[in-house]
Amino acid sequence: MSMLDGVSQCWWLSKTCEVNWDAWAAVGTVTAVFAAVFAPSIQQRLVRRKATALFMAAYMHDLVDAHACLRKVDTDMPVGKDTEHSMWVDAHHLISREHRVSYADSLKFGLSRLAVREVDLTKWPAVDLHAATGVVIAIETAKAVLAAATALPDLEKEKIPATLKIIRGGINAALQALALAEAEGNKRFGWLMESYRKRAERR
């Protein structure tokens, strides 16, 4: 005997077949309740996933550009590190305003577009907060690096070493934040593009 015997005594209609319509009605009711409870949750999850992918796509260009710029500047002109190259760069910052201006301009070129961006969650009410938080951290760390670098050219000489250490800490934080945000964006937007590709193939 199976559980289905409680619903219907047979599967082939005949004179001796007895269908328990009350049991079938109960099954239908339970199915309807499950659909009513879980369908909105499933739909909301899908909407959130798509909204997050579109949100990340809106910031990806600036995130990627800022990350690439910061890595290049930190490779060509590293500051605040205990390496021979960095010590040489720090020494030039100390004696040459022109060197400091060039460094600030390099960072402005790569970080300015991201630094002026804002995350307004009233425009993205369905977005995943984890993804939004990553973008906010990337923007704020880029702003901090840019602010310190912009002030660098006109600083008094005795304040330059401490400022370079601050910039070093900011760059480390920004590089990590940008890498994480970029990876999150690639994952989210990659999923969206793949889902649309599969849908197009089915058509």
Side-chain angles (χ1 to χ4, degrees):
M1 177 177 285
S2 70
M3 291 177 62
L4 291 174
D5 289 335
V7 176
S8 184
Q9 300 300 316
C10 57
W11 294 109
W12 298 102
L13 292 177
S14 68
K15 291 180 180 179
T16 59
C17 177
E18 294 181 13
V19 178
N20 189 336
W21 293 112
D22 289 338
W24 276 111
V27 170
T29 301
V30 170
T31 303
V33 169
F34 269 94
V37 170
F38 291 108
S41 177
I42 294 170
Q43 183 181 21
Q44 186 179 24
R45 186 175 179 180
L46 183 60
V47 168
R48 172 164 289 192
R49 196 173 184 187
K50 287 186 176 181
T52 302
L54 293 172
F55 169 82
M56 294 303 300
Y59 289 89
M60 275 301 288
H61 188 266
D62 292 340
L63 288 169
V64 171
D65 277 0
H67 193 199
C69 162
L70 201 54
R71 281 185 298 181
K72 185 176 189 314
V73 171
D74 198 40
T75 299
D76 295 343
M77 294 181 284
V79 298
K81 287 184 173 181
D82 293 326
T83 66
E84 186 176 345
H85 186 194
S86 181
M87 291 176 183
W88 182 88
V89 172
D90 289 354
H92 276 71
H93 279 318
L94 198 59
I95 62 176
S96 171
R97 184 180 184 280
E98 184 179 347
H99 197 78
R100 299 194 297 274
V101 169
S102 176
Y103 182 75
D105 287 346
S106 296
L107 288 173
K108 286 178 188 175
F109 179 78
L111 299 181
S112 291
R113 272 199 325 201
L114 180 64
V116 298
R117 300 291 301 270
E118 299 288 343
V119 174
D120 184 357
L121 291 182
T122 62
K123 296 179 180 178
W124 300 92
V127 75
D128 182 83
L129 287 180
H130 173 76
T133 300
V135 173
V136 170
I137 293 172
I139 291 172
E140 293 304 317
T141 52
K143 282 181 182 178
V145 171
L146 190 57
T150 301
L152 185 63
D154 297 317
L155 283 178
E156 298 172 6
K157 191 173 182 179
E158 61 271 15
K159 294 182 179 178
I160 291 175
T163 302
L164 293 177
K165 290 293 184 184
I166 292 171
I167 292 173
R168 172 77 266 144
I171 287 176
N172 289 342
L175 284 172
Q176 184 177 12
L178 287 165
L180 290 172
E182 187 177 335
E184 184 75 11
N186 287 331
K187 180 181 74 173
R188 301 278 189 169
F189 192 62
W191 167 82
L192 185 64
M193 293 301 294
E194 181 65 14
S195 65
Y196 273 96
R197 183 188 65 80
K198 289 180 179 178
R199 180 178 294 181
E201 287 177 352
R202 286 197 298 268
R203 290 179 181 177

